[in-house]
C-alpha cells in the first residue's frame, strides 16, 4: 500500500502507520526505533504540523499483515524516554507526503 492509498482511507493518519507505509515503499525495516525517532525529528524540522496521538498498543496491531511485529515495535517505543517516541496525527497532504519521501534514515 502506498501513502496515497493510506490517505484514501483517512486524510489524518497516525505516524506509526505512516512510518510503516513509507518503509514499505522504500523497502526499509520499519521496526528500527532509532530510525522512527529520526523520522519524527525530521517531520518537526520540516515544519509539518503533527500532534501527539494516544495510540493503544493492544488495539493497533490488526491493520497490517505484520500486526504482531507492529505491536512489538510499539512496545519498544513505549519504553524510550523521548517526546518523539510516541504516535502523532499527521495530515496526509500532497506536500506532506512529498516531504516524508525525502527522508533518509
Amino acid at each position: 500500500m502506498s501513502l496515497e492509498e493510506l490517505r484514501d482511507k483517512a486524510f489524518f493518519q497516525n505516524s506509526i502507520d505512516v512510518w510503516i507505509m513509507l518503509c514499505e515503499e522504500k523497502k526499509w525495516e520499519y521496526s528500527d526505533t532509532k530510525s522512527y525517532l529520526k523520522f519524527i525529528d525530521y517531520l518537526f524540522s520540516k515544519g509539518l504540523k503533527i500532534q501527539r496521538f494516544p495510540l493503544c498498543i493492544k488495539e493497533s496491531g490488526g491493520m497490517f499483515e505484520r500486526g504482531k511485529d507492529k505491536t512489538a515495535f510499539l512496545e519498544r517505543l513505549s519504553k524510550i524516554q523521548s517526546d518523539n517516541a510516541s504516535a502523532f496525527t499527521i495530515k496526509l497532504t500532497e506536500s506532506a507526503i512529498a516531504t516524508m519521501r525525502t527522508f533518509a534514515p
Side-chain angles (χ1 to χ4, degrees), residues 14-62:
N14 73 71
S15 58
I16 304 296
D17 290 344
V18 169
W19 170 245
I20 291 171
M21 288 299 96
L22 180 64
C23 290
E24 295 265 328
E25 285 185 9
K26 302 275 190 173
K27 309 253 188 285
W28 298 335
E29 180 54 50
Y30 76 86
S31 63
D32 179 8
T33 56
K34 288 181 184 179
S35 292
Y36 175 78
L37 294 175
K38 288 179 187 177
F39 175 66
I40 297 301
D41 285 339
Y42 180 77
L43 297 182
F44 279 120
S45 76
K46 293 299 183 180
L48 264 67
K49 289 188 176 184
I50 61 177
Q51 296 180 327
R52 196 168 312 284
F53 175 76
L55 184 64
C56 178
I57 293 173
K58 299 300 179 191
E59 295 177 9
S60 66

